[in-house]
Amino acid sequence: MSPRLLSAVSVFALLASPALSQSFNRIASFPVIANMADGEDKSRESSAEIISVSKDGNTLIYTDSPLGGVGLIDITDAKAPKPLGNIDLHGEPTTAYIIGDKAVVGVNTSESYANPSGRLAIIDIATATETGSCDLGGQPDSVAVAPDESFIAVAIENERDEDLGDGGLPQMPAGYVVKLPLKDGAPDCANLQKIDMTGLANVGGEDPEPEFVDINAAGEIVVTLQENNHIVVIGADGQIASHFSAGEVVLENVDTKTDGKLDFTTTTDPIPREPDGVQWIDNDHFATANEGDWKGGSRGFTIWKKDGTIVWDSGNSLEHAIIGIGHYPEKRSKAKGIEPEGMEFARFGDTPYLFVLSERGSVAAVYDVTDLAAPKLTQLLPSGISPEGVMAIPSRNLLVTANEADLGEDGAARAHVMIYELSDAAPAYPMLTSAGAETLIGWGALGALASVEGVEGRLFAASDSVYSAMPSIYEIDITSKPAKIIAQTVVTRGGQPAQKLDIEGLTSDGEGGFWLTNEGNAEKLVPHAILRVNAKGEIREEISLPVELLAHQTRFGAEGIAKVGNVLWVAMQREWGDDPKGQVKLLAYDLDAKEWSAVAYPLEPKGEGWMGLSELTVHGDHAYVIERDNLIGDAAVVKKIFRVKLADLKPVKLGETLPVIAKEEVRDLIPELKSLTNGYVVDKVEGLAFDHEGNAWIVTDNDGVDDSSGETLFWNAGKL
C-alpha cells in the first residue's frame, strides 16, 4: 500500500487495535486568564501559543501574543497547576524557551510588514523580569536551543502581508536564520550570525520566509520555509548543507467544500505541502507538520531523511482518523482541513513518540515511530481550541499543549494549557468514534439522543443545523468502549437530503422510525415543527407548532421530544414572548385528536448566561429533562438532570393559564463534566437516553468544531 494514500480502513484498524499497556490521559486544564492579577480586566483576550519547560520539569513558560508577554505556570503538582503570573515584554512574543534559570523569548516589534524588527528578550525566571535583549534585525518566529545548550537558532520570518495582492511571494524584505552562541547560559549577542536563505527555493526564492527551526544532537539546524514550500538543513558550521522542495501530495477521499455536508469523496489536484512545524527524530531524520498556506492545505505530516528522501507521508490518514472521533472542522474544508501545525518528538522509556497537533481539529495525535517507515497512530488526545504549541516532559511522563484560541468575548471557552500523563490507565478519550465502520462516517454536533424499545445495546443520535446539507441520524453501539457509530441515515425529503433542519429532539415512533423536533429560525425561514421519518430517514409527516404560539416565537424553540402513548411531548428550550419570566413550556400534541396543549416548567434562577432545556425523555413513571445555562468552564453553574412525574403532566389548552409543574433534581452533571476527561466544563449537554437496562446515557454537542474544542463527551451515567 502506498504510504501516501493510507485507506480509511487502515487508519481505523490502527485506532481499533488492542489497548496499549500505557496511554496518555489529560490530568489538568489551566485557563491562562488565571495568570492575570486580581483587579485586571479578565475579559481581555489572552492566549497560550508556544510553550517550554524548565529542566527540572516544574515550570512552564508560554507566549501570550494578545497580552504582549509571557505567562509562567508552576506544575510541581501537575494535577493542580498554579499561576505564576505574566511578564510584560512590550511587543508580540512569538516563541519562548527556558535555559537553566533564564528564558529566551522572540519578540516581534515590527512597525509594518515592510519594516520588520524584533529582539530576543532574556528573562530571569526567579525574579520574572527582563534582564537583557539581543537585536535580531527582523521579525522572529521560532526559537530552538541546541541539545547541548551551546547555541540558539532563531527563524527570522519577516512574514508577508496576506492581504497584499494575492498574498503570495515575493514580499520583501527577505527572512533569514540567526545563530547565537550561548555563554554561561545566556545569548552572546556580540557574536550573532545571520544565515542567508535567498536563492534556494523555487517558489519566491528571493524572499525566503523561515517558519520553524529545530536542532539535532550533531548541531545541525533544520528550517522550514513554509510559504516557499522548501526545507533547508544548515550544518554545524553554519553553512547550508542541503535544501530541497517539500513537494506536493494528491489526497483521495477528502472534503474540499464548505457546504454544511461531510462528503469525503474528492480527489485533489497536487497540493504543495507547505510545512510549518519541524522536529528532528534522530540525527538523520526529521518530521514536518504540513499546514499548507496560500497554496492550500495538504492536511498531513511527513517523515524525511535529511537529504530530502521521503520515508513516510500520512496522506489522508490523520485527517480520516480525526473525522472518526467527530473533530473534523467542516467549515475549513475549502481551506486547509484539519491544519496540522505544531509537533514534538520525545522518547518515553523505550518508545519514540511523535506528537502532531491539528490546529483546526483541536487534537494532539500520538504516533509510535519505532519504525519510521510505518508510524503507528496510538491515540488522539483532546485539547483546548486550536493547539499551537506542544512540549514533552519524559522525565515526568508528561505532555503539555498550549491552546491559543480565546473566545471569551462570545462567552465561549478561554485559552488553556492542557497537561497529560502517560500511565497504565486506559485511554479516557475518545468516548465515541466511528472508527471501524465499513465506510468513513463523518459526524459531530450531536444535539439529540434516543433509545428504541426492544433494540438492545444501541442508541440513536441526531446532528443539528451545523450539517444543514446532511441532517443525519446515527446508530451507536454502546456495548463497545469507546462506543461506536456503526451506521448513518440521512434525513431526506423528496429523495434529497432535507434542507432547513435543526434536529434537536429525537424519539422512537414505535414503528421503526422516529419523531424529530426541528428548532426553527424565522429569520432564516426555518419552521418550528415536529417531523416523522421512517426507517430510511424519509420524512413522512410534518406538524408545525400552533399558530397561536408562533406569534410569540424566538429562535430558541423545540429542543426535546418524547412519546407517551399517543401524545408527543415537546420541550421548548427558552422563554417565548408569551411565557412568564423563568418559565418554559412543555407542549403536548395528541396524535389522535391532533390538538396542542401545554404545561409550564419552572427554570432554575438565571445567572450571567441564559437558562433553558436541552432534552426531554421518558423512563418509567417520569419525564426527564436536561436543564442548563450556556456558560463554560468555571463560569458554568447549571448542568443538571431533573424529572417530573408523568402523573403530574396534565396539560391545558393553549391560551389558558398553564399549570406550573413540580420538578425534582436528579443529578448535577458538572462534577462529571470536570472529571471524565479533566477538561473544562463544556457548554452544551444536550442528549439523554436510557438503555434497556435502565442506565442513563448522556452526550454533549461539540458544535461541529466551530468555536469549540470539538470534544464530544458520551458516557453511561448509571441509574438515576
Side-chain angles (χ1 to χ4, degrees):
M1 181 180 293
S2 168
R4 181 172 59 82
L5 295 174
L6 283 178
S7 69
V9 173
S10 64
V11 173
F12 292 157
L14 289 174
L15 286 176
S17 60
L20 300 175
S21 58
Q22 288 195 311
S23 57
F24 289 91
N25 281 305
R26 184 167 51 197
I27 58 172
S29 301
F30 178 86
V32 299
I33 59 168
N35 260 332
M36 292 186 183
D38 292 341
E40 278 193 81
D41 180 6
K42 295 196 175 185
S43 67
R44 293 175 60 196
E45 181 183 2
S46 61
S47 184
E49 295 171 271
I50 304 303
I51 196 159
S52 176
V53 66
S54 58
K55 184 168 288 187
D56 64 7
N58 290 334
T59 304
L60 298 175
I61 188 171
Y62 62 86
T63 58
D64 190 332
S65 175
L67 287 185
V70 293
L72 296 169
I73 308 172
D74 178 358
I75 60 166
T76 304
D77 181 353
K79 294 182 179 180
K82 297 177 181 178
L84 295 176
N86 294 317
I87 304 171
D88 189 359
L89 295 174
H90 308 288
E92 179 193 5
T94 57
T95 185
Y97 207 103
I98 295 178
I99 308 169
D101 59 357
K102 298 179 178 64
V104 292
V105 184
V107 183
N108 178 19
T109 57
S110 302
E111 295 179 1
S112 66
Y113 292 106
N115 188 25
S117 63
R119 73 181 195 277
L120 189 71
I122 304 165
I123 292 174
D124 180 78
I125 297 292
T127 61
T129 57
E130 183 175 346
T131 59
S133 182
C134 297
D135 183 4
L136 297 172
Q139 172 248 320
D141 196 348
S142 166
V143 172
V145 177
D148 64 1
E149 297 188 350
S150 61
F151 71 93
I152 294 172
V154 186
I156 306 298
E157 183 179 10
N158 292 343
E159 63 185 350
R160 74 196 194 285
D161 183 349
E162 297 183 19
D163 296 324
L164 182 63
D166 64 356
L169 302 179
Q171 290 185 29
M172 309 305 284
Y176 48 91
V177 169
V178 163
K179 186 175 180 180
L180 260 174
L182 286 168
K183 186 177 181 180
D184 298 326
D188 182 3
C189 302
N191 289 298
L192 179 149
Q193 177 188 2
K194 291 185 178 181
I195 302 173
D196 184 24
M197 300 268 128
T198 59
L200 302 180
N202 294 326
V203 178
E206 68 271 42
D207 179 24
E209 294 195 4
E211 188 79 25
F212 213 97
V213 292
D214 195 36
I215 306 169
N216 66 13
E220 297 170 313
I221 306 168
V222 61
V223 188
T224 56
L225 310 182
Q226 183 174 2
E227 288 77 14
N228 309 89
N229 196 37
H230 212 74
I231 299 171
V232 180
V233 177
I234 301 170
D237 59 359
Q239 304 299 309
I240 304 297
S242 65
H243 67 92
F244 44 88
S245 169
E248 298 176 325
V249 293
V250 173
L251 299 175
E252 295 180 351
N253 300 320
V254 294
D255 188 347
T256 59
K257 295 181 180 179
T258 301
D259 56 4
K261 180 168 56 175
L262 297 172
D263 180 11
F264 307 104
T265 58
T266 299
T267 297
T268 69
D269 294 330
I271 304 171
R273 286 188 173 87
E274 296 183 314
D276 188 337
V278 62
Q279 287 286 307
W280 287 100
I281 296 174
D282 55 37
N283 284 349
D284 296 312
H285 301 88
F286 56 81
T288 59
N290 306 322
E291 180 188 18
D293 207 307
W294 61 297
K295 292 287 187 179
S298 53
R299 308 185 182 202
F301 70 98
T302 307
I303 295 176
W304 308 81
K305 280 188 175 180
K306 65 182 179 184
D307 64 2
T309 302
I310 292 177
V311 177
W312 189 81
D313 189 282
S314 65
N316 64 15
S317 63
L318 174 57
E319 184 159 277
H320 279 196
I322 289 174
I323 291 166
I325 65 167
H327 279 245
Y328 179 75
E330 195 279 328
K331 290 191 176 181
R332 299 292 296 178
S333 293
K334 190 177 180 180
K336 293 179 273 188
I338 61 167
E339 206 165 319
E341 183 170 0
M343 63 185 349
E344 167 77 318
F345 171 80
R347 190 177 294 273
F348 285 73
D350 295 329
T351 305
Y353 285 109
L354 188 66
F355 305 94
V356 183
L357 302 182
S358 164
E359 181 180 7
R360 298 296 177 171
S362 294
V363 163
V366 183
Y367 284 86
D368 178 342
V369 290
T370 301
D371 182 352
L372 294 179
K376 296 179 180 178
L377 177 59
T378 62
Q379 283 185 267
L380 293 172
L381 304 177
S383 73
I385 306 174
S386 297
E388 178 84 4
V390 56
M391 175 61 62
I393 313 174
S395 62
R396 298 189 61 194
N397 276 341
L398 298 177
L399 178 74
V400 180
T401 63
N403 307 280
E404 66 173 336
D406 186 344
L407 306 175
E409 289 185 2
D410 300 323
R414 307 305 301 265
H416 277 73
V417 169
M418 304 292 192
I419 304 174
Y420 311 82
E421 183 179 44
L422 182 66
S423 71
D424 295 332
Y429 197 86
M431 306 173 83
L432 179 63
T433 178
S434 62
E438 291 184 4
T439 59
L440 182 61
I441 298 177
W443 62 277
L446 302 182
L449 194 65
S451 59
V452 174
E453 188 175 355
V455 180
E456 297 185 3
R458 299 287 187 270
L459 292 177
F460 296 83
S463 57
D464 64 24
S465 60
V466 170
Y467 308 115
S468 58
M470 52 156 280
S472 297
I473 299 171
Y474 299 93
E475 182 177 353
I476 303 171
D477 178 358
I478 59 173
T479 65
S480 64
K481 189 173 183 179
K484 291 188 176 181
I485 294 175
I486 59 175
Q488 175 185 13
T489 301
V490 176
V491 177
T492 60
R493 182 186 281 117
Q496 297 298 319
Q499 301 298 306
K500 297 183 178 179
L501 285 192
D502 184 6
I503 304 171
E504 296 289 354
L506 181 72
T507 193
S508 170
D509 69 355
E511 299 178 19
F514 293 93
W515 284 99
L516 319 174
T517 60
N518 187 36
E519 185 176 20
N521 187 337
E523 293 182 0
K524 297 182 179 180
L525 302 180
V526 179
H528 293 281
I530 54 178
L531 303 90
R532 188 179 191 179
V533 299
N534 62 16
K536 296 180 180 179
E538 300 166 330
I539 295 176
R540 292 306 190 196
E541 189 174 356
E542 188 163 358
I543 303 168
S544 174
L545 295 194
V547 293
E548 56 265 47
L549 287 187
L550 294 177
H552 308 284
Q553 68 180 292
T554 71
R555 182 168 66 86
F556 305 98
E559 189 75 12
I561 188 169
K563 188 170 181 285
V564 181
N566 278 332
V567 175
L568 293 174
W569 282 93
V570 177
M572 303 298 284
Q573 185 184 63
R574 291 172 61 183
E575 301 104 317
W576 277 17
D578 59 335
D579 287 314
K581 184 177 180 180
Q583 293 181 11
V584 294
K585 295 182 185 72
L586 298 183
L587 297 174
Y589 182 74
D590 190 313
L591 291 167
D592 294 329
K594 302 189 183 307
E595 293 178 347
W596 289 94
S597 54
V599 296
Y601 178 94
L603 294 171
E604 293 294 280
K606 179 179 176 296
E608 292 183 6
W610 54 255
M611 193 71 64
L613 301 183
S614 289
E615 179 65 292
L616 171 65
T617 191
V618 170
H619 178 64
D621 296 329
H622 292 84
Y624 291 79
V625 300
I626 292 176
E627 188 174 343
R628 67 173 179 90
D629 55 28
N630 66 327
L631 302 176
I632 282 176
D634 293 338
V637 176
V638 177
K639 316 287 182 187
K640 294 182 177 182
I641 298 174
F642 291 88
R643 70 180 182 181
V644 177
K645 293 179 180 178
L646 292 180
D648 291 343
L649 290 177
K650 298 176 180 179
V652 301
K653 292 181 180 181
L654 297 175
E656 298 180 10
T657 300
L658 302 185
V660 180
I661 58 175
K663 66 180 185 180
E664 175 189 2
E665 182 177 328
V666 175
R667 180 78 63 88
D668 182 356
L669 297 175
I670 286 181
E672 290 167 79
L673 293 169
K674 289 180 178 178
S675 65
L676 286 166
T677 65
N678 292 305
Y680 55 79
V681 175
V682 296
D683 172 15
K684 295 187 173 181
V685 189
E686 295 219 351
L688 170 66
F690 292 85
D691 63 21
H692 70 284
E693 295 180 345
N695 295 307
W697 288 77
I698 301 167
V699 70
T700 63
D701 177 357
N702 74 354
D703 271 336
V705 205
D706 183 26
D707 291 344
S708 163
S709 68
E711 295 178 34
T712 295
L713 305 183
F714 180 70
W715 76 100
N716 182 343
K719 303 292 193 297
L720 296 185

